[in-house]
Amino acid sequence: MLQGGEDEYFTDDRLCRIISSIKSNHPDCAITLSIGEKDRASYQRYFEAGAERYLLRHETADEAHYRKLHPREMSLQHRKECLYALKEIGYQVGAGFMTGSPGQTVDTLHEDLQFLRELKPHMVGIGPFIPQHDTPFGNAPGGTAAMTLTLLSIIRLLLPNVLLPATTALGTIDPVGREKGLRAGANVVMPNLSPKAVRKKYALYDAKICTGEEAAECIVCLKNRVRNAGYNIVCDRGDYRNRGIENV
C-alpha cells in the first residue's frame, strides 16, 4: 500500500520504477496505490508496471459539498472520471468518504450511497472526519462512531461483496471502534507499516492511534483485537471476490 499526497517529486518514471521493483521482489503481493488524481495515461503506466489496486475516495457525490471541501481548481466531475478510468483499465478500485465532514447532510449521504451503487467499487473506505488543527476545518466538529457504524452496515447491504475497512480513524475516536466496525460489516483491517520515525510526518488528523508502535507490535495488537471481535485475520492478498451475490 503506497499512499501519499499529489507530490510532484514522484514523477511517473519514479513511481513506475518503485512499483516494478516491488513487484519484481515480491511477486506474490498485490500493490495498491493511493496518490490522488492523475491522468488516464499515468494510471495506465502504473498498472502496466504492476499496480493492481487504487484507492481514491470520492469524498462526496454532491457538487456543492465537494466545492466546500476542495480547492477551486478541483472538481467532482474529474474525480468521478478518474474512478471510472481506473475501473476501465482493470484496477480493483476503492472509493469512499468521511462521515461527519463539514457541510455533510442526510441528502449528501444519500448522493454518496447512490454513487456507490452506480460505480460498484471493489473497496469502500468509510471513516469518521477527525479535525486536524493546522487545516481550515481544524475547529470543526468531528464525525461520530455511531454514524460511521450505521453507514458501514448500509454499505455492506448495498454492496455485499465489497472490501470494507474498519479504519484507524474509527479506532481513534472509539477505543474499540475497529472491533465495532468488524461487527457492523467491515472485513478489512490495515496495519500501519510505515517506519516509526517518519509516521508523524503523515499526520492526517490529531491524536491518531498506533503512531508509537513498531510494525510487528501493530500487527500483534490488531490480531488480538480482531480475535476479540470474533474473527481471525487472514494474511493473504485480500483480493476482491464476487461470491455470487448480486449488488442491490
Side-chain angles (χ1 to χ4, degrees), residues 47-87:
F47 187 77
E48 291 172 359
E52 294 144 299
R53 304 175 188 165
Y54 205 104
L55 304 183
L56 184 66
R57 285 188 177 187
H58 67 278
E59 302 296 356
T60 175
D62 179 89
E63 185 69 45
H65 190 209
Y66 194 92
R67 287 198 301 270
K68 181 180 179 66
L69 297 178
H70 294 83
R72 186 172 298 176
E73 61 270 18
M74 298 181 72
S75 76
L76 175 59
Q77 180 61 33
H78 185 257
R79 181 64 64 104
K80 288 182 175 181
E81 288 171 359
C82 287
L83 285 163
Y84 280 108
L86 288 162
K87 279 197 77 174

Side-chain angles (χ1 to χ4, degrees), residues 198-211:
V198 302
R199 291 186 190 180
K200 290 185 178 179
K201 296 180 180 180
Y202 194 55
L204 294 179
Y205 49 80
D206 296 335
K208 185 175 183 178
I209 59 173
C210 299
T211 55

Side-chain angles (χ1 to χ4, degrees), residues 4-240:
E6 291 163 344
D7 189 339
E8 293 181 359
Y9 171 81
F10 289 101
T11 62
D12 286 356
D13 287 342
R14 280 196 172 101
L15 282 167
C16 287
R17 284 197 297 270
I18 292 169
I19 294 165
S20 60
S21 177
I22 293 172
K23 198 66 181 175
S24 175
N25 287 294
H26 305 282
D28 57 323
C29 292
I31 297 177
T32 304
L33 301 179
S34 180
I35 52 177
E37 294 183 10
K38 308 286 183 179
D39 59 40
R40 186 185 180 108
S42 295
Y43 290 148
Q44 186 69 47
R45 286 191 63 186
Y46 309 152
F47 187 77
E48 291 172 359
E52 294 144 299
R53 304 175 188 165
Y54 205 104
L55 304 183
L56 184 66
R57 285 188 177 187
H58 67 278
E59 302 296 356
T60 175
D62 179 89
E63 185 69 45
H65 190 209
Y66 194 92
R67 287 198 301 270
K68 181 180 179 66
L69 297 178
H70 294 83
R72 186 172 298 176
E73 61 270 18
M74 298 181 72
S75 76
L76 175 59
Q77 180 61 33
H78 185 257
R79 181 64 64 104
K80 288 182 175 181
E81 288 171 359
C82 287
L83 285 163
Y84 280 108
L86 288 162
K87 279 197 77 174
E88 289 168 5
I89 289 168
Y91 285 93
Q92 292 185 36
V93 175
F97 55 89
M98 291 182 289
T99 61
S101 61
Q104 189 178 75
T105 66
V106 172
D107 288 338
T108 63
L109 287 171
H110 176 264
E111 292 299 314
D112 287 321
L113 295 173
Q114 292 304 316
F115 175 65
L116 292 174
R117 183 201 298 269
E118 174 189 299
L119 177 66
K120 292 182 172 58
H122 307 92
M123 301 168 275
V124 176
I126 303 292
F129 167 71
I130 302 177
Q132 208 282 343
H133 65 278
D134 289 324
T135 69
F137 297 129
N139 294 319
T144 66
M147 178 60 78
T148 304
L149 294 170
T150 298
L151 285 161
L152 285 172
S153 297
I154 292 171
I155 290 165
R156 172 55 61 208
L157 295 172
L158 188 69
L159 302 167
N161 298 309
V162 79
L163 294 167
L164 193 62
T167 64
T168 303
L170 183 56
T172 295
I173 67 169
D174 186 323
V176 290
R178 285 179 291 185
E179 292 92 323
K180 291 179 179 178
L182 292 171
R183 296 190 185 106
N187 57 355
V188 176
V189 288
M190 300 173 69
N192 188 348
L193 303 183
S194 299
K196 183 178 176 181
V198 302
R199 291 186 190 180
K200 290 185 178 179
K201 296 180 180 180
Y202 194 55
L204 294 179
Y205 49 80
D206 296 335
K208 185 175 183 178
I209 59 173
C210 299
T211 55
E213 294 178 331
E214 296 290 357
E217 294 172 349
C218 188
I219 292 173
V220 170
C221 173
L222 267 184
K223 284 184 176 179
N224 290 333
R225 286 178 173 274
V226 170
R227 192 174 296 116
N228 289 338
Y231 298 96
N232 291 310
I233 284 181
V234 177
C235 293
D236 62 15
R237 282 171 50 102
D239 286 307
Y240 172 85

